[in-house]
Amino acid sequence: MKYPYESPVSNLSKTALDSPSNLLPQDLSGIDEGDVDWSNAHANFFSSLSKEEIQDLLRCSRRLTLKSRDNLFRAGDYSNDVYIVAEGCIRLSQVASTGKETILWFNFPGEIFGMAELWSGNHRQIYAVANEPTEVYSISSQDFTAFLGAHPEAAMKAIGVLSARVRALGHILVGLTSDNVETRVARLFMRFAAISSGNRCCTGTTTGELCVNVRLTHQDIANLIGASRQTVTTTLAHLRKIGALRAVNHHMHIAQPEHLRHLLDLSAA
């Protein structure tokens, strides 16, 4: 198992603060009735805190550096820390006994994760892996509990994020049973474009395009939307052929957002 490099915390990552603390409804317009829940589920926890709360949280934090594909934790590991992404992206997934991976979530700068088993003392049920070179803040359960006790407003914000994620996952499950693969791909890309576009500067973006700033393989997309890799590859090839999508530096740009919105409108009709 690869262990992350630990460095002292001197100040807050600018990336974590600069990422959107929340997405406005218009940023996700034309997706579905779960827009607000999806936005709240990806809320930037750091930027929602006051200066005093940030300083108190950083005092009890360790900053960990991970290379792409490094494990932050594995299923079965003892759960003793909560994490906040400083830079990069963390993929959360679950692996079945057959070896099939189900991607549950992606966490972007400022987002908090790892709270599910924190107070129960249970072992981790999922895997957390760096999707790219990533830095995270790690806070022990004892320190995080003390922080929330001293800052009840921050505690309510953390509860709000968890509640929104439950609702967002519910909307995802509905889509898995009611939408065709092309619509599922359209919804996934539109959502990730809204969430990830502020992570880093995109090169080659033209006017009107949306950037899906997450590195996803065809198998990743298949795991996210509940389809086969072959079907995803065929669907992406079609969308690229008609000019709706284009690949740029290992990620996708939505060249024709109106086409994907039209697919989503048809599914809602």
Side-chain angles (χ1 to χ4, degrees), residues 60-262:
C60 57
S61 300
R62 297 172 296 139
R63 184 156 174 155
L64 309 178
T65 300
L66 301 98
K67 298 177 182 178
S68 180
R69 304 302 177 185
D70 275 357
N71 287 284
L72 179 60
F73 57 77
R74 298 171 180 262
D77 287 351
Y78 179 69
S79 56
N80 191 48
D81 294 88
V82 64
Y83 303 95
I84 301 173
V85 180
E87 298 180 21
C89 177
I90 290 288
R91 170 209 306 250
L92 303 180
S93 64
Q94 197 157 21
V95 179
S97 58
T98 59
K100 179 178 175 57
E101 180 190 31
T102 299
I103 299 176
L104 304 173
W105 202 255
F106 283 89
N107 290 107
F108 299 102
E111 294 186 22
I112 189 168
F113 66 99
M115 293 186 288
E117 306 93 352
L118 198 59
W119 290 283
S120 66
N122 293 333
H123 291 81
R124 297 289 184 188
Q125 303 296 310
I126 62 176
Y127 292 79
V129 180
N131 203 53
E132 59 186 70
T134 299
E135 295 192 4
V136 300
Y137 294 105
S138 175
I139 307 103
S140 72
S141 59
Q142 181 177 359
D143 287 337
F144 191 64
T145 300
F147 168 77
L148 295 181
H151 301 284
E153 290 187 6
M156 294 305 298
K157 291 171 183 175
I159 293 171
V161 170
L162 290 177
S163 299
R165 286 181 186 169
V166 171
R167 294 192 298 271
L169 289 171
H171 290 298
I172 291 172
L173 290 175
V174 171
L176 291 177
T177 60
S178 61
D179 296 330
N180 60 36
V181 171
E182 188 175 37
T183 301
R184 281 181 250 166
V185 168
R187 180 174 286 107
L188 179 74
F189 279 16
M190 290 293 287
R191 281 176 164 169
F192 274 149
I195 295 297
S196 68
S197 58
N199 286 352
R200 56 190 182 278
C201 179
C202 293
T203 57
T205 304
T206 61
T207 303
E209 281 191 346
L210 299 176
C211 177
V212 183
N213 230 336
V214 188
R215 292 196 175 194
L216 297 170
T217 67
H218 289 192
Q219 187 62 58
D220 290 339
I221 297 169
N223 291 345
L224 281 163
I225 67 171
S228 69
R229 184 193 58 78
Q230 182 178 2
T231 301
V232 166
T233 298
T234 301
T235 301
L236 292 177
H238 168 69
L239 291 172
R240 291 176 67 176
K241 182 178 180 180
I242 65 175
L245 299 176
R246 69 186 186 97
V248 179
N249 295 336
H250 306 290
H251 63 277
M252 283 288 183
H253 283 193
I254 303 174
Q256 297 179 12
E258 66 280 2
H259 179 77
L260 299 195
R261 288 193 178 97
H262 178 65

Side-chain angles (χ1 to χ4, degrees), residues 3-50:
Y3 291 91
Y5 168 73
E6 179 179 337
S7 61
V9 175
S10 56
N11 50 41
L12 180 60
S13 164
K14 190 173 185 295
T15 305
L17 282 177
D18 285 348
S19 297
S21 60
N22 212 339
L23 295 170
L24 299 176
Q26 58 265 31
D27 296 322
L28 291 163
S29 60
I31 298 181
D32 61 21
E33 68 278 5
D35 296 353
V36 174
D37 288 331
W38 182 262
S39 172
N40 292 336
H42 280 284
N44 186 319
F45 183 70
F46 251 140
S47 67
S48 71
L49 302 178
S50 68

